[in-house]
Amino acid sequence: MKSLMVITALALTLSAPAASAAPAPALAKPTGDRPVGTAALARGDLFYPAVSASGKRKQFMTGAEAKAALAEAGITTIPPSALTAVRTDAFVDARPAGRHLPLVVLSSGAELTSLAEDLASHGTVVAVTGRTADVPAVLDSLLRSKWAPLIDPSRIGLAGRANTIDAVAADPRVGAGLDLDGTTDGPPPALDRPFLFLGTEARQPDWNRLTGWKRSLVVAGTVSASFTDLGLIGEQLGVGFGATTPAARVQAVTAAYVRAFFDEHLSGEPQPLLAQPSARYPEVGFARTSTPYLPAPTGDRPVGSTSVYLKDTSRPDPWVPSVPYRELMVTLFYPAAASTGPKTQYLTPAESAALLEGSGLDVPPDLLTTMVTNSVADVRPGGRHLPLVVLSPGYTKPRATLSALAEDLASHGYAVAVVGHTYENSGQSMPGGRFAGCASCEVPHDSAFWRKLVLGRAADVSFVLDSLTRSKWGSLIDASRIGMAGHSVGGASSLPTMVADARVKAGMDIDGTTEVPLTAPGLDRPFMFVSHRLAATACAPGNEPWERDWAQLTGWKRWAEVAGTQHASFTDVGLLADEFGIDTGATTGGVRTQAITRAYVNAFFDQHLRGEPRPLLDRPGFPEVSFCH
């Protein structure tokens, strides 16, 4: 049993004579604003919001419960009083406050008392029972008892530490389930209701049996005991369990995420805490998720975005000659005047289906329409005359796959134009319900193709600059401070764009092979290469296209390499791969790579568009980064 280690450690501590009297251990204090009452049930205890904070406080464990716990661990030298001395914050038989409240059953006995009291202090009724197998009987009894008016039978959840999926699947009254670093005796049944894993490690074997909303969250520096009151008490008594995150902190993290889960799935209140990692709880990692998300921007400004349709009538489309003009879609990101409003949709249903087609993922084709973004759609801009960064995505990738980088730049005060190069990606939704597929994918991909692609993108970017600076968005942009970056062929297009258009003052190529050579007289404006590590050792020779072009760069220049990454790591594709559990071969995680990418892109444009020196460009600021030149 998971409690065995805890009780044994307590035995070693408590059997030693105390040098002096110490304060009695205490449970975590409830964080809600309501007093908590408690009453005994036939199979456990009930906790609930109370009218007032008065009366007798409940024991953490009765003598019988303490004796049973110690007997189960085979310990005979510890008096049960070591556990019965602890008092809780719940008042015995206090009068209940409220009606038709959500009910959460905790199937782990007294060791989750702090969690039960916290939920009750926020307006939830909590039934604590010792065994998962007792859950149906507990529900039957409660819903037919004097407690029935207190409970809303349509809002019932279950959290436990053993066979929780089985219990939720077996009882249709339970609308949502949570596994708190629990165990499973065998393969669980399929379940289509919301489910959350919160614990010491990702729960991979059970993941595919869950077909509804799901998350697997890992709390760093924990052991199983960290999530319980036994771990909390043991820590206060000086018992070390091997955890590096203090038990009191883990209790706070656990209470926050459990509350958020049941608030969202029992009460219908969306919880940002469940959408993406939170800076408030850096210990919590999103190991797996059914709803993909972008990491929050690192700047201090809210972000807005809007889609802009552009039509260049001066040239035919390079991939569909029957179209006598070039159409482009651009997503413009910018600092926003407000942080409230509907968030930007990541992809349309048609774009999502096109990108996921052939991915091998067993997911709905419209999954990426649910991607959690951080920019408010069509909100009013909160600035004028901002530096502009143009971003160009990799071949076959929609412009949305650079959203995490674009949102971050905007949060730091940049206007960002992400270009959708029509017919060069998996598919792009156009005005009037039209959809443009990947016409260029049908063309042989020889050296002439790549040259045409890159030079065409340079023409696209120049047209975007012409259009934006002469449009209603012109006042948002400082036309004297324009930069360009891109990934893969989008990054490789930065050089020919800068050669052709002097308005682009600085450029960056993120892991893109430069198919079109940079020839004399070269380029005297700032340029930076960033790549994944191409060999076992850092900065190994062999990247001939970059080495060729490096010699032609006569202005400020830098060449950086990021260890543990793969080609897709620098974009949202790398983030999605981690969230979906896809092994891309990268050993540096997508979130970490995105943090590195954001840091260097921001630093580069801060220095070369804003004139603000950035030490990050003078020496590697991350252990994964090496400067090759």
Side-chain angles (χ1 to χ4, degrees):
M1 294 293 292
K2 288 179 179 272
S3 302
L4 177 59
M5 178 188 72
V6 181
I7 300 295
T8 303
L10 286 172
L12 294 174
T13 300
L14 298 175
S15 59
S20 60
L27 301 185
K29 293 289 184 182
T31 60
D33 58 2
R34 308 187 193 189
V36 178
T38 183
L41 300 175
R43 290 181 170 88
D45 292 288
L46 192 69
F47 295 84
Y48 48 85
V51 171
S52 63
S54 61
K56 178 183 177 183
R57 293 181 185 271
K58 183 184 182 300
Q59 279 185 307
F60 169 54
M61 282 189 180
T62 66
E65 289 169 335
K67 287 178 181 178
L70 294 169
E72 182 179 347
I75 299 171
T76 59
T77 58
I78 305 301
S81 58
L83 301 179
T84 60
V86 178
R87 295 286 167 172
T88 78
D89 288 285
F91 297 94
V92 177
D93 297 327
R95 187 157 61 92
R99 292 171 62 85
H100 307 300
L101 303 176
L103 168 67
V104 171
V105 181
L106 299 181
S107 62
S108 192
E111 64 182 70
L112 295 182
T113 296
S114 288
L115 178 58
E117 291 181 339
D118 190 75
L119 287 167
S121 75
H122 286 271
T124 297
V125 180
V126 184
V128 178
T129 185
R131 300 190 311 150
T132 304
D134 290 337
V135 171
V138 169
L139 292 179
D140 289 341
S141 176
L142 279 175
L143 297 176
R144 296 170 185 167
S145 71
K146 67 176 183 179
W147 300 106
L150 188 63
I151 298 166
D152 181 349
S154 69
R155 295 189 291 164
I156 297 176
L158 170 65
R161 288 169 56 78
N163 300 316
T164 310
I165 296 177
D166 301 70
V168 175
D171 198 321
R173 294 173 294 185
V174 180
L178 188 151
D179 180 299
L180 191 57
D181 203 56
T183 57
T184 302
D185 290 339
L191 182 67
D192 61 359
R193 279 163 273 166
F195 203 90
L196 173 67
F197 294 105
L198 181 66
T200 58
E201 60 185 5
R203 290 291 295 275
Q204 304 292 354
D206 302 336
W207 185 259
N208 292 335
R209 303 296 294 166
L210 304 174
T211 59
W213 185 102
K214 55 185 176 181
R215 295 281 187 279
S216 179
L217 308 185
V218 175
V219 186
T222 59
V223 296
S224 186
S226 303
F227 299 92
T228 74
D229 291 333
L230 293 178
L232 182 63
I233 292 170
E235 184 175 274
Q236 293 173 61
L237 294 172
V239 178
F241 305 120
T244 55
T245 301
R249 174 64 177 173
V250 181
Q251 286 286 330
V253 170
T254 301
Y257 278 92
V258 172
R259 281 199 317 272
F261 175 74
F262 288 119
D263 282 349
E264 179 160 316
H265 295 293
L266 297 185
S267 299
E269 301 170 0
Q271 300 292 313
L273 198 62
L274 301 177
Q276 59 194 153
S278 169
R280 290 170 55 201
Y281 302 105
E283 306 91 340
V284 180
F286 279 47
R288 298 290 297 275
T289 174
S290 60
T291 306
Y293 65 90
L294 297 181
T298 61
D300 58 3
R301 307 189 191 186
V303 178
S305 66
T306 192
S307 291
V308 180
Y309 167 74
L310 301 176
K311 184 176 181 179
D312 185 358
T313 58
S314 70
R315 58 186 173 127
D317 190 274
W319 308 111
V320 185
S322 60
V323 178
Y325 43 78
R326 177 68 165 158
E327 295 179 288
L328 298 171
M329 293 299 300
V330 174
T331 301
L332 190 62
F333 294 84
Y334 47 83
S339 59
T340 57
K343 294 299 176 68
T344 301
Q345 186 179 49
Y346 188 72
L347 291 174
T348 67
E351 290 168 338
S352 176
L355 183 59
L356 291 172
E357 184 179 3
S359 67
L361 291 174
D362 183 19
V363 296
D366 64 349
L367 175 65
L368 297 180
T369 65
T370 67
M371 184 89 157
V372 178
T373 65
N374 302 284
S375 56
V376 180
D378 303 319
V379 68
R380 184 167 57 88
R384 292 169 59 85
H385 307 302
L386 305 176
L388 171 69
V389 175
V390 180
L391 297 180
S392 180
Y395 182 57
T396 75
K397 298 301 183 289
R399 67 189 188 277
T401 56
L402 293 178
S403 293
L405 176 58
E407 289 183 340
D408 194 69
L409 283 165
S411 77
H412 287 274
Y414 287 91
V416 185
V418 188
V419 183
H421 303 276
T422 311
Y423 301 119
E424 297 174 14
N425 48 51
S426 56
Q428 183 165 274
S429 294
M430 307 295 290
R434 294 177 294 133
F435 186 76
C438 189
S440 65
C441 293
E442 308 303 319
V443 179
H445 290 11
D446 53 15
S447 58
F449 166 85
W450 292 110
R451 180 178 180 84
K452 176 181 177 178
L453 184 78
V454 167
L455 295 179
R457 291 202 171 194
D460 286 349
V461 171
S462 289
F463 175 65
V464 167
L465 295 181
D466 291 342
S467 301
L468 291 180
T469 55
R470 297 170 186 170
S471 72
K472 68 176 184 178
W473 299 103
S475 61
L476 180 69
I477 298 165
D478 181 350
S480 69
R481 296 188 291 165
I482 296 175
M484 179 179 175
H487 175 253
S488 193
V489 73
S493 301
S494 296
L495 281 174
T497 299
M498 294 181 71
V499 169
D501 197 325
R503 291 176 294 182
V504 182
K505 297 299 193 294
M508 197 169 191
D509 179 352
I510 303 173
D511 219 39
T513 301
T514 51
E515 297 286 348
V516 176
L518 180 62
T519 57
L523 185 68
D524 62 0
R525 279 163 276 160
F527 200 85
M528 183 169 184
F529 289 113
V530 178
S531 79
H532 71 282
R533 182 170 290 181
L534 302 178
T537 57
C539 301
N543 191 338
E544 295 178 3
W546 282 16
E547 291 167 355
R548 174 200 65 210
D549 294 337
W550 180 262
Q552 298 295 326
L553 295 171
T554 60
W556 186 100
K557 56 186 177 180
R558 181 71 70 234
W559 180 332
E561 192 175 83
V562 186
T565 58
Q566 295 294 330
H567 187 58
S569 299
F570 301 95
T571 73
D572 298 355
V573 175
L575 294 168
L576 287 167
D578 284 0
E579 292 170 28
F580 292 151
I582 300 170
D583 183 5
T584 63
T587 55
T588 300
V591 170
R592 174 67 173 178
T593 305
Q594 186 63 218
I596 294 170
T597 304
R598 287 171 161 185
Y600 276 97
V601 174
N602 270 290
F604 176 77
F605 289 118
D606 282 352
Q607 181 159 312
H608 298 296
L609 295 185
R610 287 175 161 157
E612 300 172 359
R614 290 291 183 256
L616 194 65
L617 300 177
D618 298 327
R619 56 187 180 275
F622 298 85
E624 299 90 343
V625 176
S626 299
F627 282 174
C628 303
H629 293 287

Coordinates of all heavy atoms in Angstrom, one line a residue, residues 37-41 44-48 58 90 103 125-128 142 147 150-151:
G37 N -18.1 22.2 7.9 CA -18.7 21.3 8.8 C -18.5 19.9 8.5 O -18.1 19.6 7.3
T38 N -18.6 19.0 9.4 CA -18.4 17.6 9.1 C -19.4 16.7 9.9 O -19.8 17.1 11.0 CB -16.9 17.2 9.4 OG1 -16.7 15.8 9.0 CG2 -16.6 17.3 10.9
A39 N -19.7 15.6 9.3 CA -20.6 14.6 10.0 C -20.1 13.2 9.6 O -19.6 13.0 8.6 CB -22.0 14.8 9.6
A40 N -20.4 12.3 10.5 CA -20.0 10.9 10.3 C -21.0 10.2 9.4 O -22.2 10.4 9.5 CB -19.9 10.1 11.6
L41 N -20.5 9.4 8.5 CA -21.4 8.5 7.6 C -21.1 7.1 8.0 O -20.1 6.8 8.6 CB -21.0 8.8 6.1 CG -21.2 10.2 5.6 CD1 -20.7 10.3 4.2 CD2 -22.7 10.6 5.7
G44 N -17.7 6.4 6.2 CA -16.7 7.5 6.1 C -17.2 8.8 6.7 O -17.9 8.7 7.8
D45 N -16.9 9.9 6.1 CA -17.2 11.2 6.7 C -17.7 12.2 5.6 O -17.3 12.0 4.4 CB -16.0 11.8 7.4 CG -15.6 11.1 8.6 OD1 -16.3 11.1 9.6 OD2 -14.5 10.4 8.5
L46 N -18.5 13.1 6.0 CA -19.1 14.1 5.1 C -18.5 15.5 5.5 O -18.5 15.8 6.7 CB -20.6 14.1 5.1 CG -21.3 14.9 4.0 CD1 -21.1 14.2 2.7 CD2 -22.8 15.1 4.3
F47 N -18.1 16.3 4.5 CA -17.6 17.6 4.7 C -18.4 18.5 3.9 O -18.8 18.2 2.7 CB -16.1 17.8 4.4 CG -15.2 17.0 5.3 CD1 -15.0 15.6 5.0 CD2 -14.6 17.5 6.4 CE1 -14.1 14.8 5.8 CE2 -13.7 16.8 7.2 CZ -13.5 15.4 6.9
Y48 N -18.8 19.7 4.4 CA -19.7 20.6 3.7 C -19.5 22.0 4.1 O -19.0 22.3 5.2 CB -21.1 20.1 3.9 CG -21.4 19.9 5.4 CD1 -21.8 21.0 6.2 CD2 -21.3 18.6 5.9 CE1 -22.1 20.8 7.6 CE2 -21.6 18.4 7.3 CZ -22.0 19.5 8.1 OH -22.2 19.3 9.4
K58 N -13.0 18.3 14.4 CA -12.9 16.9 14.2 C -11.5 16.4 14.4 O -10.5 17.1 14.1 CB -13.4 16.6 12.7 CG -13.4 15.1 12.4 CD -13.7 14.9 10.9 CE -13.8 13.5 10.6 NZ -12.6 12.7 10.8
A90 N -12.5 21.3 10.5 CA -14.0 21.1 10.3 C -14.7 21.0 11.6 O -14.1 20.3 12.6 CB -14.2 19.8 9.4
L103 N -21.2 17.5 -5.5 CA -20.6 16.5 -4.6 C -19.4 15.9 -5.2 O -19.4 15.4 -6.3 CB -21.7 15.4 -4.3 CG -21.2 14.2 -3.6 CD1 -20.8 14.5 -2.1 CD2 -22.3 13.1 -3.6
V125 N -19.7 19.8 -1.5 CA -19.9 18.8 -0.5 C -19.0 17.7 -0.9 O -18.8 17.3 -2.0 CB -21.4 18.3 -0.6 CG1 -21.6 17.2 0.5 CG2 -22.4 19.4 -0.4
V126 N -18.3 17.1 0.2 CA -17.3 16.1 0.0 C -17.6 14.9 0.9 O -17.7 15.0 2.1 CB -15.9 16.6 0.3 CG1 -14.9 15.5 -0.1 CG2 -15.6 17.9 -0.5
A127 N -17.7 13.7 0.3 CA -17.8 12.5 1.0 C -16.5 11.7 1.0 O -16.0 11.4 -0.1 CB -18.9 11.6 0.4
V128 N -15.9 11.4 2.1 CA -14.7 10.7 2.2 C -14.9 9.3 2.6 O -15.6 9.1 3.7 CB -13.7 11.4 3.2 CG1 -12.4 10.6 3.3 CG2 -13.4 12.8 2.8
L142 N -26.3 8.6 0.6 CA -26.4 10.1 0.7 C -27.7 10.6 0.0 O -28.4 11.5 0.5 CB -25.2 10.7 0.1 CG -23.9 10.8 0.9 CD1 -22.8 11.4 0.2 CD2 -24.2 11.7 2.2
W147 N -29.3 14.3 3.9 CA -28.3 15.2 3.2 C -28.7 15.4 1.8 O -28.1 16.3 1.1 CB -26.9 14.5 3.3 CG -26.4 14.3 4.7 CD1 -26.3 13.1 5.3 CD2 -26.0 15.3 5.6 NE1 -25.8 13.3 6.6 CE2 -25.6 14.7 6.8 CE3 -25.8 16.7 5.5 CZ2 -25.1 15.3 7.9 CZ3 -25.3 17.4 6.6 CH2 -25.0 16.7 7.8
L150 N -28.9 18.9 0.2 CA -27.7 19.6 0.1 C -27.0 19.4 -1.2 O -26.1 20.2 -1.6 CB -26.8 19.2 1.3 CG -25.5 19.9 1.6 CD1 -25.7 21.4 1.9 CD2 -24.7 19.2 2.7
I151 N -27.3 18.3 -1.9 CA -26.5 17.8 -3.0 C -27.3 17.9 -4.3 O -28.5 17.7 -4.4 CB -26.2 16.3 -2.8 CG1 -25.3 16.1 -1.5 CG2 -25.5 15.7 -4.0 CD1 -25.2 14.7 -1.0

